[in-house]
Amino acid sequence: MKSEPGEFGIDDLERRPGQTEPWDGVRNYQARNMMRDQMQPGDRVFFYHSNCEQPGIVGLAEIARAAYPDPTAFDPEHKHYDPKSRPEQPAWLMVDVRFVRKLKRTLTLAELKERPELDGLALLRRGNRLSILPVSPEQWDFILALE
DNA sequence: GCCAACGTTGGC
DNA sequence: GCCAACGTTGGC
């Protein structure tokens, strides 16, 4: 899961009450479907810092709550308001994410790109801009071993 | 700041 | 349904 550290970084997650944060604001159908269909409580995710000096994987988090309606979509005052989403029929969902730990070092995007073992990694696909991306078990183990 | 790569919107 | 215009993402 990507986040801009200037907006909400791994340190912010660590400081949250319960070290848990609702992952609101996702407004992409592919990303929504991944939250809805692929994320269960206890599942682990990489926390990725994007749009910053050193883009890369900085920590581990886990899903604390399965997908449920994103209330920010209902609020006309909110930046992420979307009139297509109504409480009776929510278009947008979010999960709760809980801090697990920071990595001992940042696994930079540049470093991940150098690894032929990660050729198929969705994060490295050309033009990818999704804020939530799949990682296979093999990719997961390989990346963690780089730490 | 630049720009490639997308997703979305809306006219037709 | 097509597609140009536009907005956003995010690395560099």
Side-chain angles (χ1 to χ4, degrees):
Chain A
M1 301 180 84
K2 292 186 196 170
S3 192
E4 302 190 11
E7 295 291 324
F8 187 84
I10 187 80
D11 293 328
D12 297 302
L13 183 60
E14 186 175 16
R15 285 194 294 264
R16 278 291 188 268
Q19 301 189 311
T20 298
E21 177 76 359
W23 209 258
D24 60 23
V26 174
R27 297 292 180 268
N28 173 283
Y29 287 104
Q30 272 180 269
R32 180 205 65 184
N33 293 348
M34 266 185 281
M35 289 195 288
R36 185 190 59 196
D37 303 333
Q38 320 244 1
M39 290 181 157
Q40 294 305 318
D43 286 352
R44 295 240 162 150
V45 301
F46 288 127
F47 197 111
Y48 178 91
H49 280 175
S50 67
N51 207 9
C52 58
E53 196 169 331
Q54 198 177 52
I57 298 170
V58 295
L60 302 181
E62 66 183 11
I63 304 306
R65 180 177 170 185
Y68 61 106
D70 179 347
T72 66
F74 306 142
D75 177 4
E77 304 300 310
H78 201 280
K79 179 183 169 190
H80 297 301
Y81 173 62
D82 185 349
K84 288 196 300 293
S85 190
R86 289 166 294 110
E88 317 85 80
Q89 202 170 8
W92 300 116
L93 306 174
M94 61 187 187
V95 295
D96 288 354
V97 171
R98 183 185 298 124
F99 177 83
V100 173
R101 68 176 177 89
K102 290 202 241 183
L103 297 189
K104 295 193 274 284
R105 64 186 188 88
T106 298
L107 303 177
T108 66
L109 178 61
E111 179 181 356
L112 299 177
K113 282 179 173 172
E114 283 171 8
R115 293 297 188 151
E117 295 89 343
L118 297 177
D119 271 355
L121 189 67
L123 176 70
L124 305 181
R125 273 204 308 262
R126 200 174 60 103
N128 132 71
R129 297 180 313 161
L130 278 183
S131 61
I132 300 176
L133 296 159
V135 181
S136 76
E138 295 75 18
Q139 289 164 341
W140 178 274
D141 291 341
F142 182 83
I143 291 168
L144 260 191
L146 293 174
E147 185 182 1

